[in-house]
Amino acid sequence: MDTNPVFNRRHNHNNTPASVTLIITNFIVFGLSTQMFTSCAGINTFFWVVLAALAVYNYFTIRKYREDYDKPQVIAYVVSLVVMIGLYFVLRYAQHC
């Protein structure tokens, strides 16, 4: 057995804060759902279902890791929501409607 502590893994530690994981998840789900469920003809109803599920996921994740959300994390989360609104218009009009 190797007794060198360099190669031992720390349990429950992955160096990625919950706020960063939440923001990345939001962008991936939002971007994919925008591309799949919106078109020049209109917005599919399932797009709103995906956004509602994402909002519920955000609520429970923030509630679970409430102590990790200080002022900088909250500001980053709010800025990411504003950027996602801009991303919606960029992705929607990239379809040349």
Side-chain angles (χ1 to χ4, degrees), residues 43-54:
I43 299 173
N44 193 340
T45 306
F46 196 67
F47 176 76
W48 300 113
V49 172
V50 170
L51 286 187
L54 188 62

Side-chain angles (χ1 to χ4, degrees), residues 14-26 57-58 61-62 64-69 73 77:
N14 59 2
N15 290 333
T16 304
S19 60
V20 173
T21 305
L22 181 66
I23 290 171
I24 291 170
T25 304
N26 284 342
Y57 173 74
N58 284 323
T61 303
I62 290 172
K64 181 178 179 182
Y65 298 108
R66 184 177 306 196
E67 66 276 354
D68 292 341
Y69 283 89
Q73 284 83 10
Y77 179 73

Side-chain angles (χ1 to χ4, degrees), residues 3 24 33 44-46 48 61 72 74 76 83 85 90 94 97:
T3 59
I24 291 170
S33 65
N44 193 340
T45 306
F46 196 67
W48 300 113
T61 303
V74 171
V83 169
I85 292 170
V90 168
C97 295

